[in-house]
């Protein structure tokens, strides 16, 4: 009899109507596809329903995986969002800074109509069996201790991924209440999970420090860098006649984008018509008012800096390959997938000098996230003379999952 793996698909099903994924969404999809491809296990997709873990319809789940993969990867020669960005970056006249052309149907309301009516009516979990395991990589099932505790009572081993501890270590960058919520989540994982996967040694260090402060024992913890989608694994750039830079990520306080836009205004004052463009690719998150003020009201930045969202992987890779550099001025990160993607493609990267960047992209141009003059110098130098990215050995999903399999006791 094949061992049974309960895969928590709750977040993936909730996000399946989105036109583009966040970093955590990418991880959820990668794990879903990895488990689905294994013939030596039986995968049971599960989700939280009224604070209890329930099995969801497997046919609906498999269909959603295929639909999400097609939408997020993208195979069009050029999307509507990308066409708008190309016009904005190469046009002779300045247009609006906020583009955000949304392709396709908008996301359904009410949390995807409660994740398509709890994935077409949920059902009880299968009875416990030898070797049964539970895997959650989306921070789901951590809002109550009951789920992991119940799995333990059933003899089901649990593996949880913790992506970062930013709401705990840097609550000033997060929504009110996020610190207490994430504190509970991490505490529950430490108390009840059999194993914890993290995405970097930095996150592992933060997790162990949290456990020490809370006097909690730590289950086995394994730092395994995340993999990259195939479109980001081939080196090569597509130089643009009009120089521009790209930032990829949710527009929120910890990304340090108000600082970046202040720098861009200063660049415009210094360089005039030679000022490079800047594209912010990402949805709006928490505390983005300062960024919106720059984009909507600064005459110096109008039409010079652009914000868009909803790019497929193919479109995003093309945009990044044409940039003078990808910029990542974050104050704190747990992993920073776009920075790693830039290095993997051979696109120059200018990033903040923070622990996770020193760990994962040390060959990039690293500048302290508060060093305005240092950032101005790096940006102007890259505009005047296109930099050359160093050689880089990127992490892959194949290597990631080999390590995960060995960690949780599945055949490699």
């Amino acid at each position: 009899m094949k061992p049974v793996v309960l895969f928590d698909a709750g977040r993936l099903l909730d996000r399946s109507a989105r036109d583009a994924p966040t970093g955590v969404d990418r991880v959820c999809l990668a794990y879903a596809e990895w488990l689905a491809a294994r013939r030596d296990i039986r995968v049971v997709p599960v989700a939280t329903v009224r604070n209890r873990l329930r099995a969801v319809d497997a046919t609906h789940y498999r269909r959603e995986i295929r639909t999400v993969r097609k939408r997020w990867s993208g195979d069009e020669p050029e999307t509507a969002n990308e066409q708008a960005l190309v016009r904005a970056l190469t046009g002779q006249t300045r247009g609006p800074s906020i583009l955000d052309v949304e392709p396709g149907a908008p996301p359904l309301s009410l949390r995807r109509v409660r994740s398509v009516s709890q994935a077409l009516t949920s059902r009880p979990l299968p009875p416990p069996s030898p070797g049964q395991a539970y895997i959650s990589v989306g921070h789901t099932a951590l809002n109550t201790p009951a789920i992991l505790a119940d799995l333990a009572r059933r003899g089901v081993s649990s593996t949880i991924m913790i992506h970062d501890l930013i709401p705990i270590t840097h609550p000033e960058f997060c929504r009110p209440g996020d610190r207490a919520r994430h504190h509970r989540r991490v505490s529950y994982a430490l108390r009840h999970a059999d194993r914890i996967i993290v995405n970097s040694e930095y996150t592992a260090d933060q997790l162990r420090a949290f456990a020490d402060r809370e006097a909690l024992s730590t289950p086995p913890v394994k730092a395994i860098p995340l993999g990259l989608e195939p479109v980001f694994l081939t080196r090569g750039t597509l130089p643009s006649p009009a120089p521009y830079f790209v930032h990829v990520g949710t527009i929120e306080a910890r990304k340090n984008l108000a600082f970046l836009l202040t720098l861009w205004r200063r660049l415009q004052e210094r360089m005039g018509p030679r000022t490079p463009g800047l594209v912010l690719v990402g949805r709006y998150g928490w505390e983005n008012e300062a960024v919106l003020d720059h984009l909507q009201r600064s005459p110096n930045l109008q039409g010079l800096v652009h914000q868009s969202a909803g790019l497929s992987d193919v479109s995003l890779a093309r945009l990044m390959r044409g940039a003078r550099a990808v910029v990542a001025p974050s104050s704190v990160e747990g992993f920073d997938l776009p920075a790693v993607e830039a290095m993997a493609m051979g696109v120059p990267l200018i990033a903040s000098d923070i622990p996770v960047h020193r760990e994962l992209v040390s060959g990039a141009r690293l500048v302290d996230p508060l060093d305005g003059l240092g950032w101005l110098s790096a940006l102007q130098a890259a505009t005047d003379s296109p930099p050359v990215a160093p050689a880089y050995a990127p992490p892959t999903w194949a290597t990631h999952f080999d390590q995960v399999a060995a960690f949780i006791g599945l055949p490699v």
Side-chain angles (χ1 to χ4, degrees):
M1 180 182 295
K2 295 180 181 179
V4 174
V5 173
L6 310 177
F7 175 63
D8 198 318
R11 181 183 175 112
L12 188 58
L13 293 172
D14 275 349
R15 302 299 184 93
S16 60
R18 284 195 168 188
D19 46 24
T22 65
V24 177
D25 297 339
R26 289 182 184 278
V27 176
C28 292
L29 179 58
Y31 269 74
E33 292 177 328
W34 169 62
L35 291 169
R38 294 192 67 115
R39 297 292 176 257
D40 56 340
I41 61 174
R42 182 166 76 90
V43 179
V44 176
V46 299
T48 302
V49 181
R50 298 186 182 90
N51 286 331
R52 297 185 64 186
L53 213 57
R54 303 271 293 181
V56 300
D57 183 80
T59 300
H60 169 75
Y61 165 72
R62 288 192 294 268
R63 184 168 58 245
E64 288 293 274
I65 291 176
R66 292 192 297 269
T67 300
V68 164
R69 167 54 66 193
K70 182 177 180 181
R71 183 188 304 120
W72 289 354
S73 293
D75 55 8
E76 313 98 317
E78 198 171 76
T79 66
N81 287 52
E82 190 177 9
Q83 291 170 5
L85 282 172
V86 169
R87 289 193 300 270
L89 290 168
T90 59
Q92 298 301 309
T93 59
R94 291 189 175 188
S97 282
I98 299 176
L99 302 175
D100 242 345
V101 179
E102 292 288 354
L108 299 177
S109 60
L110 296 177
R111 290 289 283 183
R112 172 80 161 139
V113 185
R114 198 52 204 145
S115 202
V116 188
S117 188
Q118 300 302 340
L120 304 179
T121 67
S122 59
R123 53 190 61 82
L125 298 180
S129 59
Q132 196 171 109
Y134 166 77
I135 298 176
S136 175
V137 297
H139 287 178
T140 47
L142 294 179
N143 292 320
T144 169
I147 290 176
L148 294 181
D150 182 60
L151 288 170
R153 283 192 295 271
R154 292 164 55 90
V156 179
S157 68
S158 56
T159 301
I160 302 295
M161 177 177 283
I162 299 293
H163 291 267
D164 60 63
L165 280 82
I166 292 170
I168 299 170
T169 60
H170 296 76
E172 65 272 23
F173 295 139
C174 304
R175 291 179 175 85
D178 278 2
R179 185 181 190 278
R181 186 179 304 111
H182 205 55
H183 188 285
R184 290 193 297 271
R185 287 173 171 172
V186 176
S187 298
Y188 296 156
L190 289 169
R191 287 190 174 98
H192 300 289
D194 292 286
R195 303 168 204 84
I196 296 178
I197 298 170
V198 293
N199 48 22
S200 65
E201 293 293 348
Y202 171 72
T203 303
D205 291 343
Q206 295 298 306
L207 179 63
R208 294 188 182 102
F210 173 85
D212 289 344
R213 290 194 302 270
E214 300 295 317
L216 294 171
S217 59
T218 305
V221 175
K222 180 75 171 176
I224 310 176
L226 305 177
L228 305 184
E229 298 299 319
V231 72
F232 299 107
L233 287 173
T234 303
R235 290 179 70 86
T237 57
L238 300 167
S240 169
Y244 65 89
F245 294 76
V246 173
H247 175 273
V248 182
T250 303
I251 298 174
E252 56 188 351
R254 69 183 176 89
K255 298 296 185 179
N256 209 20
L257 295 179
F259 168 82
L260 184 66
L261 294 183
T262 300
L263 295 178
W264 231 266
R265 180 181 175 109
R266 181 59 59 88
L267 274 179
Q268 194 279 331
E269 292 168 351
R270 285 186 176 184
M271 301 180 70
R274 295 192 307 110
T275 309
L278 172 65
V279 182
L280 308 180
V281 181
R283 296 175 175 273
Y284 290 107
W286 176 248
E287 290 189 349
N288 54 51
E289 292 84 358
V291 174
L292 279 170
D293 285 343
H294 279 87
L295 292 175
Q296 294 175 334
R297 298 166 57 190
S298 172
N300 298 64
L301 302 185
Q302 191 66 26
L304 180 65
V305 177
H306 304 281
Q307 178 272 330
S308 187
L311 296 184
S312 69
D313 288 349
V314 170
S315 294
L316 179 60
R318 273 198 297 263
L319 182 71
M320 293 169 72
R321 289 179 190 277
R324 287 294 171 95
V326 168
V327 291
S330 299
S331 299
V332 62
E333 293 284 353
F335 185 80
D336 202 351
L337 197 56
V340 176
E341 290 166 346
M343 293 288 285
M345 289 189 293
V347 177
L349 173 67
I350 306 172
S352 53
D353 189 1
I354 58 176
V356 79
H357 287 157
R358 292 195 291 272
E359 176 186 341
L360 297 172
V361 292
S362 60
R365 174 75 182 271
L366 300 183
V367 185
D368 187 283
L370 297 179
D371 182 4
L373 293 179
W375 273 90
L376 281 172
S377 175
L379 292 168
Q380 190 161 357
T383 303
D384 294 337
S385 179
V388 177
Y392 183 70
T396 65
W397 280 124
T399 300
H400 177 93
F401 288 126
D402 282 348
Q403 294 184 61
V404 169
F407 186 49
I408 68 178
L410 291 175
V412 177

